[in-house]
Amino acid sequence: MAEKPAMPASWRVESKPHKFCPGCGHGIALRALGQAIDELGIQDRTVFGCDIGCSLLAWDFFNVDTIQTHHGRTTPVMVGVKRANPDLICIAYMGDGGGYAIGAQHLVNAASRNDKITAILINNTQYAMTGGQMAPTTMPGQKTETTPYGRDPELTGLPAQGPEMIATITPEGAYVARGTVSKLRQLKKMMVRALKCQMEGRGFSFIEVLSTCPTNWRTNARETWSFLEEKMPQYFQIGEIKIPVSEGDADE
Amino acid sequence: MAEKVIAGEKRVFMTGNEVVAWAALAAGAEIMYGYPITPQNEIMHYWTRLAPKYNRKFLQTEDELSAGFTTVGGVMAGKRAFTATAGPGNTLMQEPISMAEAMRLPFVAMIIQRGGPSTGTVIYSQQEVMMTVLGGNGEGLRIVYSTANHQELFDYSIKAFDTAWKYRFPTFVLADGYQGKMREPLTIYDPDDRGIKISDTEPYVGRPGTPGVDRPPGHYRNTYNVEEELYEVLQDHIKDFESIADEVSEYESMASDDAELLVVAHGVVARAAKQATEALRQQGLKVGYFRPITLRPLPSTPLREAVNRAGRMLVVESAYGQLGRLLKEALYGATAEFIPYYKPGVGFTPEEIMARCRELIT
Ligand SMILES: Cc1ncc(C[n+]2csc(CCOP(=O)(O)OP(=O)(O)O)c2C)c(N)n1
Ligand code: SF4
Ligand SMILES: [Mg+2]
């Protein structure tokens, strides 16, 4: 991580340095997305929607038309845009609270309607913006502000398996994957594939991104990385879950 | 605009919901997003039958949050988009409407009121006035037309699209299930044939050119760093809203010049109030009638004048003082006697209103 890679062309220079905390995974996920937008040459027709949660800090992140919506409601706003103008490439960017809790009905229904949009969900295992409460993705035993003694699966269930669920309810042609900010190249490839899925009108595309939140995890750099690379994959399997038959694997 | 939907003037006998669907088509509405709820279902039913013939679209959403937010998306894509709802659906829709209000989006919704929460009564009330006018977390910067008959349902449904895009405030047609379900004769027409212009639409996102290269990006947000930032944005919106109030507000009045008692009502209740006034006048009683057509912004000046002249007002509504509260605010400081006649969730006959007026006058 020593050298600073060039900014994707679709990033907005004027709004950099970005507003995320140091060590936050959001910026890395948005780098992958920016690179994908550049590679596909779709900056002029992309609409980026961001949710409430730390994703809202991206409201001026790209040189791309952007709508910052309400908590959980980015999916329907993007569905509305896409239905009204199918030429646009619509990206709904949200947190795990936004996508799996308050906006779960929208995610599930957009997926089962096979809406031609791309949903990108940042899994940081908790509600970051509100100060670190339990999210549907909080892992068993994990301490958060609302599970101060650790999440007890007896009381509050097991971590949501979002991509697995979306893969089950979408028809063939949809694209579903789980990436991680620790594998930027793979993540970018997933983003390209998800966006291509939309561009070719094949179906709904969804990527959950395992991400970091050192601020609420209260971890130093090394602990942050080991939480992401060792703990999270115990519950969240990285890889492509649903790919059109014609395509190969995005793994390196 | 797209091809003509209605050729020439046509006399028809239709339910109100059907009228709304035709009006939306005639106004050039391009896409409807909706979720089933009585008594507005037939707006969707007629729309889904008619829309494909005219290349218009429909999406049935998973709930009214989604119906509202997809409408927001449709509008931002630059389309004449609309939705329709009622009762509990209106409650859920206040969240997307708050977004539309804060971003000044030309959001159009047809509200066909029903009574109470949950399933309540599914046909009629005037209990959604406060929610439609001032709901959500905002300042109620919205335009609300309360219709009284099917001709108005047609006229104002068309007008709503013009108003919304002209002023960029969410715009509502507020009716009720009696209006939605009842059949009535009216004339439908192509607005263009009557010289009625409907403001052009314009996309918020996806305009030509590459953002940051050929044009600045459209960055639309409801997030502010400091209180003052939101305050400043709101100051502009409030100033705009106040400056259009006189131009936008509409009312109907009758026999109010020498009235000693002014009957004030809105929507379908105003029909009974008007009939009662006419009958009482024929009997020589000095009763007048005033009906705000826009509940937001209210026609405050003509209202004050009529009320001050009469000195007494009878406020008739199918709610427990929702119109009443709006009127009191608009009339603050006036000395006229305010007499409520509230029947929450229940309709009025002209005879009832006549009887109450007679009691008050004699
Ligand atoms: C309707 C509504 N409920 C609650 C909130 C408060 N709120 C703001 S951000 C947030 C949590 C965000 O968590 P997540 O979606 O996981 O995003 P993150 O911040 O972790 O990236 C909540 C609950 C809100 N803004 N709106
Ligand atoms: S609170 Fe966590 S998720 Fe939010 S910007 Fe900071 S590190 Fe990122
Ligand atoms: Mg989160």
Side-chain angles (χ1 to χ4, degrees):
Chain A
M1 299 292 293
E3 96 276 23
K4 255 211 157 116
M7 269 190 213
S10 52
W11 276 23
R12 184 168 177 77
V13 181
E14 294 88 327
S15 60
K16 305 295 166 298
H18 57 60
K19 307 175 182 74
F20 303 107
C21 310
C24 176
H26 271 286
I28 307 175
L30 295 174
R31 175 177 295 280
L33 179 59
Q35 289 172 349
I37 291 171
D38 291 355
E39 182 175 320
L40 296 167
I42 53 171
Q43 189 182 339
D44 58 337
R45 57 195 178 106
T46 295
V47 182
F48 178 73
C50 55
D51 214 72
I52 295 305
C54 290
S55 72
L56 78 79
L57 300 173
W59 70 267
D60 61 352
F61 196 94
F62 291 108
N63 264 331
V64 156
D65 288 341
T66 300
I67 308 172
Q68 173 259 312
T69 79
H70 288 201
H71 194 25
R73 316 300 173 207
T74 307
T75 304
V77 173
M78 289 301 113
V79 167
V81 172
K82 186 73 182 186
R83 294 272 175 166
N85 184 355
D87 293 337
L88 300 175
I89 306 300
C90 298
I91 301 167
Y93 183 73
M94 69 200 81
D96 38 12
Y100 296 151
I102 195 167
Q105 78 273 38
H106 306 310
L107 190 60
V108 165
N109 282 281
S112 59
R113 279 193 307 257
N114 208 25
D115 270 300
K116 315 299 185 277
I117 64 164
T118 300
I120 299 171
L121 182 147
I122 298 298
N123 175 355
N124 53 16
T125 73
Q126 33 87 42
Y127 286 29
M129 179 151 268
T130 37
Q133 296 85 3
M134 182 183 74
T137 45
T138 299
M139 296 180 291
Q142 187 182 342
K143 288 189 173 132
T144 70
E145 292 296 331
T146 49
T147 55
Y149 303 106
R151 181 176 189 174
D152 178 357
E154 276 298 316
L155 295 177
T156 55
L158 288 161
Q161 299 295 303
E164 288 76 5
M165 171 187 71
I166 301 291
T168 310
I169 61 175
T170 42
E172 267 321 311
Y175 178 85
V176 183
R178 185 186 281 113
T180 166
V181 297
S182 73
K183 290 187 183 169
L184 181 65
R185 280 173 56 196
Q186 181 202 46
L187 185 60
K188 187 205 107 183
K189 214 161 165 185
M190 288 172 172
M191 301 239 179
V192 167
R193 287 181 165 198
L195 289 168
K196 265 190 164 166
C197 175
Q198 176 176 177
M199 290 162 71
E200 289 163 11
R202 287 200 309 258
F204 190 71
S205 47
F206 179 70
I207 305 172
E208 178 186 296
V209 183
L210 303 188
S211 182
T212 52
C213 178
T215 304
N216 287 297
W217 292 349
R218 299 189 186 128
T219 45
N220 63 27
R222 201 170 39 78
E223 291 161 346
T224 303
W225 225 241
S226 82
F227 193 98
L228 173 72
E229 293 196 300
E230 284 150 38
K231 272 224 182 95
M232 290 177 74
Q234 290 173 21
Y235 293 94
F236 307 111
Q237 205 187 330
I238 294 156
E240 292 181 304
I241 297 168
K242 187 165 203 157
I243 37 171
V245 205
S246 55
E247 309 233 345
D249 205 308
D251 277 329
E252 310 292 286
Chain B
M1 210 197 292
E3 81 206 81
K4 279 203 173 137
V5 172
I6 301 161
E9 306 252 325
K10 253 199 195 142
R11 203 61 194 156
V12 294
F13 186 64
M14 282 180 183
T15 65
N17 284 334
E18 190 176 2
V19 168
V20 171
W22 277 106
L25 276 175
E30 291 158 287
I31 184 163
M32 176 186 188
Y33 305 87
Y35 186 82
I37 189 165
T38 307
Q40 72 78 27
N41 287 318
E42 295 81 5
I43 297 179
M44 295 188 305
H45 299 175
Y46 286 108
W47 179 264
T48 49
R49 277 158 185 72
L50 295 166
K53 297 182 188 165
Y54 301 97
N55 230 346
R56 319 293 173 85
K57 299 183 203 174
F58 175 75
L59 176 67
Q60 181 167 330
T61 58
E62 56 275 19
D63 58 23
E64 288 86 351
L65 285 162
S66 183
F69 280 107
T70 47
T71 303
V72 162
V75 162
M76 294 190 82
K79 303 296 174 190
R80 256 181 220 113
F82 76 107
T83 185
T85 192
N90 193 4
T91 307
L92 289 184
M93 215 172 270
Q94 290 309 313
E95 198 201 330
I97 293 166
S98 301
M99 172 164 170
E101 186 184 314
M103 286 192 186
R104 296 277 306 263
L105 303 177
F107 181 103
V108 173
M110 316 302 180
I111 309 293
I112 314 296
Q113 297 171 96
R114 54 189 255 169
S118 176
T119 194
T121 71
V122 297
I123 289 300
Y124 177 74
S125 87
Q126 292 189 317
Q127 295 182 300
E128 297 178 46
V129 167
M130 286 315 248
M131 180 157 64
T132 307
V133 164
L134 292 169
N137 32 2
E139 303 297 339
L141 306 180
R142 307 154 173 210
I143 294 159
V144 180
Y145 296 111
S146 173
T147 57
N149 59 51
H150 284 34
Q151 189 62 58
E152 287 189 356
L153 261 183
F154 189 77
D155 298 345
Y156 284 101
S157 294
I158 289 174
K159 192 168 196 170
F161 289 98
D162 180 52
T163 302
W165 282 92
K166 189 162 172 188
Y167 302 109
R168 306 290 170 103
F169 288 109
T171 303
F172 302 86
V173 173
L174 182 72
D176 56 68
Y178 287 171
Q179 294 185 59
K181 299 270 190 186
M182 195 164 62
R183 260 176 215 284
E184 246 177 45
L186 73 150
T187 302
I188 62 172
Y189 51 83
D190 180 274
D192 210 34
D193 289 349
R194 284 204 183 178
I196 299 171
K197 282 267 157 284
I198 299 170
S199 303
D200 289 335
T201 59
E202 152 191 357
Y204 290 73
V205 295
R207 290 194 301 270
T210 301
V213 180
D214 311 309
R215 62 170 173 93
H219 283 156
Y220 303 96
R221 59 166 169 156
N222 275 322
T223 169
Y224 298 101
N225 292 318
V226 290
E227 287 78 356
E228 286 73 14
E229 212 179 338
L230 172 62
Y231 174 79
E232 263 172 43
V233 170
L234 279 174
Q235 285 309 101
D236 285 344
H237 294 183
I238 291 166
K239 203 171 99 225
D240 288 352
F241 192 76
E242 286 180 347
S243 73
I244 63 163
D246 283 345
E247 191 177 318
V248 169
S249 61
E250 294 185 35
Y251 67 99
E252 182 192 12
S253 76
M254 194 184 76
S256 72
D257 285 350
D258 62 342
E260 288 164 9
L261 174 67
L262 191 71
V263 182
V264 184
H266 79 96
V268 84
V269 175
R271 287 164 73 141
K274 194 175 179 183
Q275 280 178 39
T277 306
E278 279 164 352
L280 290 167
R281 274 282 165 174
Q282 277 176 6
Q283 295 164 16
L285 287 160
K286 288 195 168 173
V287 175
Y289 157 86
F290 189 95
R291 167 196 165 214
I293 295 174
T294 48
L295 297 185
R296 183 89 172 157
L298 268 184
S300 300
T301 308
L303 172 73
R304 274 185 100 87
E305 285 167 5
V307 167
N308 283 337
R309 270 198 307 270
R312 297 177 91 191
M313 61 193 294
L314 179 69
V315 179
V316 189
E317 62 171 313
S318 299
Y320 195 66
Q322 301 203 18
L323 172 67
R325 266 169 265 169
L326 297 176
L327 295 175
K328 282 178 193 164
E329 196 213 344
L331 292 169
Y332 181 74
T335 51
E337 187 187 358
F338 188 101
I339 308 157
Y341 189 9
Y342 300 153
K343 291 206 295 175
V346 179
F348 286 88
T349 61
E351 291 73 24
E352 287 172 294
I353 299 173
M354 285 170 71
R356 189 80 185 94
C357 288
R358 263 198 225 98
E359 274 169 33
L360 289 167
I361 280 190
T362 47

